[in-house]
Every structure is written in C-alpha cells, then in structure tokens.
Amino acid sequence: MNFISTRGGEKVSGARAIVQGLSANGGLFVPETFPEVTREELEEMLSMSYSERACKVLYKYLDDYDEGELLKALEAAYSKFDGDPAPLVKLDDGVYILELFHGPTCAFKDMALTVLPYLLRKGCDICGIKENVLILVATSGDTGKAALEGFKDAEGIKIMVFYPDDGVSKMQKLQMCTQDGGNVNVVAVKGNFDDCQSAVKEIFNSKQYAKQLKEKNYVLSSANSINFGRLAPQIAYYFSAYLDMVTSKQIEMGQEIDFCVPTGNFGNILAAYYAKNMGLPIRRLHCASNMNNILTDFLKKGEYDMHREFYKTTSPSMDILISSNLERLLFEVSGRNAELTAKRMQELKDNGIYRITKEEQDAIAQTFDGGFANEDEVVETIYDVFCDVGYTMDTHTGCAMKVAQDWFEKNKKDTINMVVVSTASPYKFPQDVLYAVTGNDVKDSFKGIKRLHAATAMAVPKSLMGLKEKAVRFTTVAKRDELFDEVLKFIG
C-alpha cells in the first residue's frame, strides 16, 4: 500500500512513511485507501492471540514488510507486557474498560512504541537507508518514556525526548530522567507541550537542519503519533476489544458499539476512526478532554481556536492545544483536499485559528461528539466509580468516564455498549488518584503509591517502584530556540 501526504506532493511506501515520519512539506502520511477487514476475517480473528490480531490489522497497511517477521516482532513486543496486552474489563451493564497500561512503562503508548523499533529499523533496510537514525520526540508525559524504553540501545538509532518543564507528573518526569541506555537523551523545555511539539516539527521541516544532520550521517524520524508507524499499532486494540466482546458473548458479531477515548493529540481516537473505516462495527466515538477542551469546542462549533487559556491539570498527557492528528481527520472530511488542508494548517500557524464548513462539521458529527471534565469532576468521577464498583482509574480515564456518564445522562434511552479507553495506570499519578479515592494528600510520589495500594489493593507495577533506587541522569533545561543546539551536542 502507498501513503500520501495530507498536504499533497508525495506518495511513498509504508516503510518510507515510517522512516520519514513527516512528509517533506510538513504534512502527515495517510493510507492511499483504507483497507477492508471483512466479516469473514473478523470471524477468523476471534480465536487469535492479541499479537496475531494486531498482525492481521497492521499487514493490511504495511504489505511491504514480511508478514511472518512482523508477527514475530509483535509477539516479542507484547511478551514484555504483564499478561494480556489489552484486557477488557466489564465495569457495569453496558460499560467496559479497555486497559492499555500493562506494558513496560504503564501507559497506552507502549502498545505502539514496543513495536515501532522493529518497524523503523526494518523500514530502513527496505528503503536502503544506511545512515544512523535520530528520533526526536515531543511528549506530554507518556510518549517520552515509552519511546525511550522501546528504543534504548537500539543499533544505529539515537533518541532524544523533549518534555515541558513543570508540565508532566512527578512520576512521569522521574521515569524519563532516570532512563538507562547509551543512545538516549532527555531535555526539559521551558514552555508547554505545544512548544515542544512545534519545535520538533520545525526541526523536521528545516532543510538547513537536515543538511547539518546528513553531514553527521544522520536522518530524522519521529516516534510521535504524527508517524504512521506509531498510529498503526493503535488501530489493532480497537479490533481486539470488539472481538473480546464477541467471544465473551457481550455482543453478537456485527453489533455496533461506542468507544469513549481520552485524547489530547487526537491520535488515540483517530486510530478508532481508522478501525471504523476498515469495517469495524463502531457507531460513535466520544472524544474526552480535560479543561484544555479545544477539541470539545471544535466538534461543537466547527472552529479550531487556540486563543484560550492553557491549563496545567492532573491529566497532563491531555494538556495540549495543538492536536496534530486532527489534520488527518480534516483531510478525510474535506474530500481528501490536500490544498485546503495545507491552507488550514498555515492559518493555524499564522493566526491560531481555522474554520471548517457546515458540511464538514456535519460529516464529523456523524461519528464524533465531544465532552470534557474539569478538575473537580475528575476527582468526583474517580471517587464514585471506586465506591460503586471498586475499580480504580487514573485521571485521564476519569475524564473519559465523566464524558461517558454525561452521554448516558443526556441519552437515557440509549442501550449501546460503551467501551471507555483507559490510557495509564493509576500508579503513574499516585498522589492525584489517592486524593480522589481517599481525600488524603501526600507530597511524595512513592508514599502516594504505598498509600494508594493500601487503599485499593491494586498490584503495584515493579517498573514504577524500582524508580526510587535509580539515579537521575538527565537534568538539562533549555529554551525552545536552543533545542537544535542540544540535538547537535547529543549526536556529537
């Protein structure tokens, strides 16, 4: 299958799209067509393991890879998880939780970033690329650690992560700054996630920077969800969740379900949209935001306006005002109009705002709706669910659960089965979850873990408890315009 740019001008193979990350004009790569998964194929996937299901989905897009090798890579990646990579938990009648935090770094980013090293390295081989690869990552908290862990000590690859100084949780920061591996680097940026993300995109789009890197025998790639290699493995867990509902006799094959997804950069929910376009019986996608509810407003008004207050919340992975993957959705609802998509992205860059047509807004509304939760509502939702059914969720999942509850409150006759996507372990945000569950407030993250365990009896991930003994390796703080200098220092 070939991939094209949302801003036009390029057509490349799947391997090239993954290695390159972004198109030359700054657009995002999308499949030339959406491959179909037939009813018969869904039936065959019922008895498959998670890795086998994921392979069937990914190979639909990445047919220039060897299918057998791809399966082996997926099996190796998901063997690092604690049991089932994506278990489905029934919370109440018609409400389910899809847990995506059982990987090495306790966040849903592991679902893709344990696989991406294979996709990237093999992609280089397929494309005949001999240079070293430099991966640049902007993170709002979870992507950074998952990418560092996935690529540590990978041959011929260096990875550098930028995170907003004071814009991630204490546990997220500790995970990144204690990372081992001889090919990794972490830099805090003075600003928010959007500053980190914009700086990385500018480096990707600079011919001058590309020339300097090539002189040092490096090519750039990305591990953010702007890279289709990050997005593709996420499509698979929507298929697997649906199939698990069928095998557990919660639904009949062909029956539609809804997903409610906490999202900031729009990649997680876009993967569900891709699954729907491939034929998965999804009725609606509920986009859940925190107080940085720019996506909620966009879905309601058809206007994307960055002129608003930025909030630092207890769900920092969604503290984002520039949702990069929304560009892929705009491209689809515009009739794949690359010129119009590029125009809108330029308007966003120049003026901080763009608008879509009423027809496009109506097309989006056929599948998507949005909602958000403020900080008090997140606390209340986590507390109520814990008290009612004994289930503990993190702050991001709390946002999604609130949006799901609001939907059913407004649509009392709706009998759809709703899957709420849970993106992180509660232990990644122990103080905030502890406060929500018990009302107790502690300053130390590890005390928070200990007390949260006492209150909930949830098993504590060993990878998080082990952080207490690890030395901090990375302490650099830089301004946005200093980041490429840091890159040059890193590659030496």
Side-chain angles (χ1 to χ4, degrees):
M1 175 178 287
N2 289 323
F3 287 75
I4 57 177
S5 169
T6 52
R7 303 184 194 181
E10 264 185 276
K11 181 187 291 189
V12 298
S13 68
R16 172 62 69 174
I18 290 173
V19 172
Q20 197 169 316
L22 277 174
S23 71
N25 60 10
L28 308 187
F29 286 117
V30 296
E32 192 170 31
T33 59
F34 283 105
E36 181 186 5
V37 175
T38 65
R39 173 71 174 263
E40 290 72 25
E41 288 174 313
L42 284 175
E43 295 280 0
E44 292 173 3
M45 291 166 69
L46 286 171
S47 60
M48 292 181 181
S49 68
Y50 184 84
S51 297
E52 290 170 329
R53 291 171 177 176
C55 186
K56 289 296 180 184
V57 173
L58 264 67
Y59 191 64
K60 292 279 185 179
Y61 293 98
L62 306 178
D63 54 4
D64 47 346
Y65 288 73
D66 179 89
E67 188 173 8
E69 286 187 12
L70 179 60
L71 176 58
K72 289 180 181 177
L74 288 161
E75 289 173 338
Y78 296 128
S79 69
K80 301 173 184 176
F81 284 57
D82 184 14
D84 187 344
L88 191 69
V89 178
K90 185 173 183 178
L91 202 65
D92 204 350
D93 287 340
V95 180
Y96 303 80
I97 298 279
L98 176 60
E99 293 185 345
L100 300 176
F101 52 78
H102 295 283
T105 74
C106 307
F108 82 102
K109 308 297 176 73
D110 291 324
M111 301 298 296
L113 284 166
T114 51
V115 182
L116 187 57
Y118 162 78
L119 295 177
L120 183 58
R121 189 69 268 168
K122 187 64 179 179
C124 287
D125 294 341
I126 293 171
C127 297
I129 294 173
K130 304 301 181 183
E131 294 96 336
N132 295 313
V133 178
L134 173 63
I135 298 172
L136 299 184
V137 180
T139 184
S140 55
D142 289 332
T143 294
K145 172 59 181 178
L148 290 164
E149 188 65 25
F151 283 96
K152 69 176 182 182
D153 294 325
E155 183 180 352
I157 296 175
K158 285 194 172 187
I159 178 168
M160 190 167 185
V161 169
F162 303 108
Y163 72 91
D165 192 28
D166 297 327
V168 299
S169 77
K170 293 179 181 178
M171 193 61 69
Q172 288 173 316
K173 181 175 181 178
L174 198 56
Q175 279 188 302
M176 290 185 284
C177 293
T178 60
Q179 177 67 47
D180 51 2
N183 64 333
V184 304
N185 192 16
V186 179
V187 174
V189 179
K190 294 178 181 178
N192 58 35
F193 170 75
D194 295 319
D195 295 313
C196 300
Q197 182 170 245
S198 297
V200 167
K201 285 185 176 180
E202 285 175 10
I203 293 173
F204 268 86
N205 293 331
S206 169
K207 293 180 179 179
Q208 177 188 346
Y209 291 158
K211 180 181 178 182
Q212 289 179 262
L213 292 170
K214 192 167 184 63
E215 289 171 354
K216 294 179 178 291
N217 200 39
Y218 277 91
V219 294
L220 282 175
S221 190
S222 173
N224 284 97
S225 55
I226 55 175
N227 189 324
F228 189 79
R230 245 292 304 279
L231 186 65
Q234 295 179 233
I235 302 169
Y237 52 69
Y238 290 102
F239 276 91
S240 190
Y242 184 89
L243 294 167
D244 282 349
M245 291 191 72
V246 175
T247 57
S248 60
K249 302 188 185 305
Q250 305 299 309
I251 59 171
E252 299 291 332
M253 179 65 81
Q255 184 178 339
E256 290 186 325
I257 65 172
D258 283 11
F259 285 95
C260 187
V261 188
T263 188
N265 221 5
F266 208 73
N268 200 3
I269 199 167
L270 184 79
Y273 174 73
Y274 275 31
K276 178 179 172 69
N277 282 345
M278 294 173 72
L280 191 65
I282 295 174
R283 186 191 68 165
R284 296 196 65 77
L285 296 172
H286 307 273
C287 179
S289 302
N290 60 20
M291 291 178 68
N292 294 295
N293 59 338
I294 190 168
L295 287 169
T296 308
D297 288 346
F298 170 75
L299 292 170
K300 289 180 179 177
K301 302 174 183 177
E303 178 181 84
Y304 199 94
D305 187 358
M306 287 176 53
H307 300 113
R308 61 181 62 225
E309 187 173 352
F310 176 83
Y311 296 100
K312 290 184 179 181
T313 74
T314 55
S315 47
S317 295
M318 297 195 294
D319 290 350
I320 296 171
L321 293 183
I322 304 176
S323 301
S324 287
N325 275 287
L326 191 59
E327 180 175 341
R328 286 183 164 117
L329 179 63
L330 293 177
F331 179 71
E332 297 300 334
V333 299
S334 70
R336 301 200 135 200
N337 188 327
E339 184 179 352
L340 179 59
T341 304
K343 178 176 177 289
R344 285 169 170 163
M345 294 302 100
Q346 191 62 46
E347 288 174 354
L348 184 65
K349 182 178 180 180
D350 293 342
N351 307 316
I353 187 171
Y354 64 80
R355 296 173 182 84
I356 62 175
T357 67
K358 181 64 166 59
E359 291 75 20
E360 290 169 327
Q361 189 179 355
D362 291 344
I364 292 174
Q366 290 179 15
T367 298
F368 291 90
D369 59 76
F372 75 99
N374 64 36
E375 293 291 80
D376 289 339
E377 289 170 334
V378 172
V379 170
E380 185 176 353
T381 301
I382 293 172
Y383 176 78
D384 287 346
V385 171
F386 179 73
C387 289
D388 291 345
V389 297
Y391 186 87
T392 310
M393 62 184 66
D394 85 296
T395 46
H396 303 75
T397 311
C399 290
M401 184 58 68
K402 170 61 177 170
V403 171
Q405 290 173 347
D406 286 348
W407 172 265
F408 285 120
E409 183 64 28
K410 294 174 184 175
N411 301 273
K412 295 183 183 295
K413 295 182 180 180
D414 193 1
T415 58
I416 198 75
N417 287 286
M418 175 88 75
V419 178
V420 176
V421 178
S422 183
T423 54
S425 166
Y427 286 115
K428 289 200 76 167
F429 311 92
Q431 294 126 299
D432 296 317
V433 177
L434 176 69
Y435 177 76
V437 169
T438 69
N440 293 328
D441 194 5
V442 297
K443 300 297 182 185
D444 181 75
S445 297
F446 296 101
K447 284 183 180 178
I449 287 177
K450 185 176 180 180
R451 294 184 186 182
L452 185 59
H453 174 66
T456 66
M458 284 185 65
V460 181
K462 293 179 182 178
S463 61
L464 294 182
M465 283 306 295
L467 289 174
K468 192 173 184 179
E469 311 303 325
K470 295 187 73 173
V472 172
R473 294 182 63 198
F474 305 105
T475 58
T476 300
V477 181
K479 297 177 182 178
R480 174 178 163 171
D481 59 4
E482 298 171 340
L483 297 190
F484 191 68
D485 290 336
E486 295 296 328
V487 169
L488 293 179
K489 288 180 191 176
F490 177 48
I491 62 176

